[in-house]
Amino acid sequence: MNKYDKINRKLLALLLLIFIGAITALNLVAPDRTLSESENRMLEQLPHFSLKALVFGDFTLDFEKYVSDQFVFRDFWIGTKTDTDRMMGKKENNGIYIGKDGYLIQNFIPPAEEDWKGKVDAIHAFDQATPKMQKYVMLAPTAAALYQDKLPKYAIIGDQEAYLQKVKQWLHPNLRFIDVFPSLYAERDQPIYYKTDHHWTTKGAYIAYLELCRQMGLTPQKEAEFNIQQVTDEFYGSLYSKSGFRHIQPDRLQLYLPKDQEKYTVTYVDEEKTTDSLYAREQLQRKDKYAVFLNGNHARIHIKTANPSGRKLLVVKDSYANSLIPFLLKHYSEIHVIDLRYYEEDLASLANEQGIQDMLLLYNANTFFEDPSITNLTE
């Protein structure tokens, strides 16, 4: 080995030590962040130390999560890693596939039979506790069911549609299952799902609304009755955040605004806040632009419209319903919106006390099969 090789090796070693030292120093002095804008989630904070937590391993586990979340230039390193993976041909990260035409598609993992049957049993129990309400169940398929042809060839996705049909068959006949898969599939060439987000678009929600009206005997509003307004073309959604894939075209987000819009009031019950709009346009300046609909998710929302019919609707939902609910204002005098992930009261008592006639249970397939809060219907 000549002296130039030795000098080069020593120089590389020195540069490596300087780099490690600089990163360590930056990690020590950099303030902790509470929110990751790119990942759209709260970051781990420094865990409280106790001897008990240390002995049982809880402190070590939490501290490891904290260091990972607070690592300096975290977003840069994540982007670099996923860019490298893509150059090497990898098209999946964190359960998200990058497919054709720029679609990010979340994997569907088949649920255990006892889990989904337990949720259907909870719906049956709630039905018995509220016999005066007519109930409708809409479980929306995700892009994984509708765009299988856009997935990478090696991708293995569970048969989401088969499980939706199992739920339909397990439901009691008096519970009407609103099957929106055929209607959505027929329009799959339209922009009915976002490419970077797990939600359906407002167009997709409108198609589901048309099917809901058909099943409920309502006369739907025609698309020509709305001013369709694009409010942003820079929407990077939840799948973009979760996957870590970058250099992807953002989505456009539209609002369907009735041309003859009547006055209504929206009350966020727990927050004791009332507004005259279903849309929180300030959210368009933030990362989670889908929160423009109903200002995101809340435990309980009460909407009072100008409809004189006296009909009342209970919507038990996940965030898929947020972009569909605006279409329902023309058909009801009151709409009560409940998100069981945050609602802790007796829902059956609320429904009976308010004299609600109709109920719509609306979830996307992933949330229905994965989220345990649906069993809170009967608590």
Side-chain angles (χ1 to χ4, degrees):
M1 182 183 298
N2 60 46
K3 65 178 182 179
Y4 294 107
D5 290 333
K6 291 181 179 180
I7 291 173
N8 286 337
R9 290 195 174 189
K10 289 180 179 179
L11 182 59
L12 287 174
L14 179 61
L15 291 174
L16 179 60
L17 288 173
I18 292 173
F19 175 77
I20 294 173
I23 292 295
T24 302
L26 287 171
N27 274 302
L28 290 174
V29 301
D32 288 349
R33 297 184 301 157
T34 57
L35 174 70
S36 170
E37 287 285 343
S38 62
E39 295 176 84
N40 194 27
R41 70 176 181 88
M42 303 303 293
L43 298 174
E44 288 286 337
Q45 301 300 298
L46 182 65
H48 174 71
F49 176 81
S50 70
L51 186 59
K52 180 180 179 181
L54 180 64
V55 170
F56 284 94
D58 295 337
F59 177 80
T60 305
L61 181 62
D62 290 342
F63 188 77
E64 182 180 342
K65 293 178 182 177
Y66 162 74
V67 171
S68 175
D69 273 8
Q70 299 296 339
F71 197 84
V72 69
F73 306 134
R74 172 184 170 82
D75 294 342
F76 169 78
W77 300 121
I78 291 175
T80 300
K81 177 184 180 301
T82 53
D83 286 346
T84 303
D85 288 343
R86 286 181 69 180
M87 287 189 292
M88 297 177 65
K90 183 179 179 182
K91 295 189 175 182
E92 182 275 333
N93 196 39
N94 284 337
I96 312 295
Y97 291 98
I98 182 166
K100 297 177 183 177
D101 303 324
Y103 274 91
L104 296 178
I105 301 176
Q106 186 173 8
N107 191 9
F108 172 72
I109 301 175
E113 183 171 306
E114 60 270 19
D115 288 343
W116 68 261
K117 284 187 175 180
K119 292 171 182 175
V120 175
D121 289 342
I123 296 172
H124 290 158
F126 183 78
D127 181 44
Q128 293 178 353
T130 55
K132 295 182 179 180
M133 278 198 303
Q134 175 62 57
K135 300 174 182 69
Y136 303 86
V137 177
M138 180 187 292
L139 302 183
T142 67
L146 292 163
Y147 294 125
Q148 293 191 14
D149 59 320
K150 297 186 184 299
L151 288 164
K153 292 182 179 180
Y154 62 83
I156 301 176
I157 296 281
D159 191 348
Q160 187 180 103
E161 175 62 6
Y163 280 89
L164 293 176
Q165 291 302 315
K166 287 182 179 182
V167 172
K168 178 181 179 180
Q169 294 167 7
W170 194 256
L171 284 170
H172 288 166
N174 60 308
L175 297 169
R176 185 169 296 179
F177 186 87
I178 311 296
D179 188 357
V180 294
F181 184 92
S183 298
L184 290 169
Y185 192 86
E187 300 291 337
R188 63 192 299 273
D189 291 333
Q190 299 293 319
I192 59 173
Y193 284 83
Y194 296 111
K195 293 184 177 182
T196 71
D197 191 70
H198 70 286
H199 294 101
W200 51 23
T201 63
T202 320
K203 173 75 172 181
Y206 176 74
I207 292 169
Y209 157 75
L210 294 178
E211 182 62 27
L212 178 64
C213 286
R214 191 179 72 82
Q215 296 281 347
M216 296 179 75
L218 303 174
T219 301
Q221 300 167 84
K222 297 178 181 179
E223 204 165 15
E225 298 178 46
F226 296 93
N227 287 319
I228 301 176
Q229 182 181 118
Q230 180 178 303
V231 291
T232 183
D233 59 359
E234 297 181 349
F235 175 35
Y236 289 101
S238 60
L239 301 183
Y240 176 87
S241 301
K242 184 177 179 181
S243 68
F245 289 122
R246 298 297 180 258
H247 312 299
I248 293 173
Q249 286 291 107
D251 282 300
R252 299 175 178 179
L253 193 151
Q254 295 178 326
L255 303 182
Y256 277 46
L257 304 174
K259 293 179 180 179
D260 60 344
Q261 184 169 317
E262 298 176 344
K263 291 184 178 180
Y264 57 87
T265 58
V266 182
T267 301
Y268 299 97
V269 178
D270 288 355
E271 295 86 347
E272 298 182 344
K273 176 183 175 182
T274 299
T275 179
D276 61 356
S277 176
L278 291 168
Y279 304 108
R281 289 178 179 263
E282 65 273 13
Q283 297 289 356
L284 296 172
Q285 308 305 317
R286 301 172 183 170
K287 172 64 173 64
D288 185 14
K289 290 177 171 50
Y290 187 81
V292 67
F293 300 104
L294 289 178
N295 201 19
N297 296 312
H298 301 265
R300 180 184 172 192
I301 303 172
H302 178 232
I303 305 169
K304 191 169 181 60
T305 78
N307 186 307
S309 68
R311 297 291 296 180
K312 298 180 181 180
L313 173 69
L314 172 65
V315 180
V316 178
K317 59 87 182 181
D318 68 2
S319 55
Y320 259 55
N322 295 4
S323 57
L324 186 143
I325 287 172
F327 296 115
L328 300 174
L329 265 60
K330 286 283 186 179
H331 306 289
Y332 288 93
S333 296
E334 294 182 35
I335 301 177
H336 296 260
V337 184
I338 298 294
D339 194 321
L340 293 172
R341 293 171 293 185
Y342 315 107
Y343 189 74
E344 298 178 350
E345 306 298 324
D346 186 338
L347 185 56
S349 295
L350 174 69
N352 290 327
E353 290 169 2
Q354 293 293 326
I356 299 174
Q357 297 95 340
D358 296 328
M359 171 185 171
L360 171 64
L361 188 141
L362 199 171
Y363 285 85
N364 78 74
N366 280 345
T367 303
F368 181 81
F369 289 119
E370 295 176 4
D371 188 78
S373 67
I374 299 169
T375 58
N376 296 340
L377 270 171
T378 54
E379 293 183 3

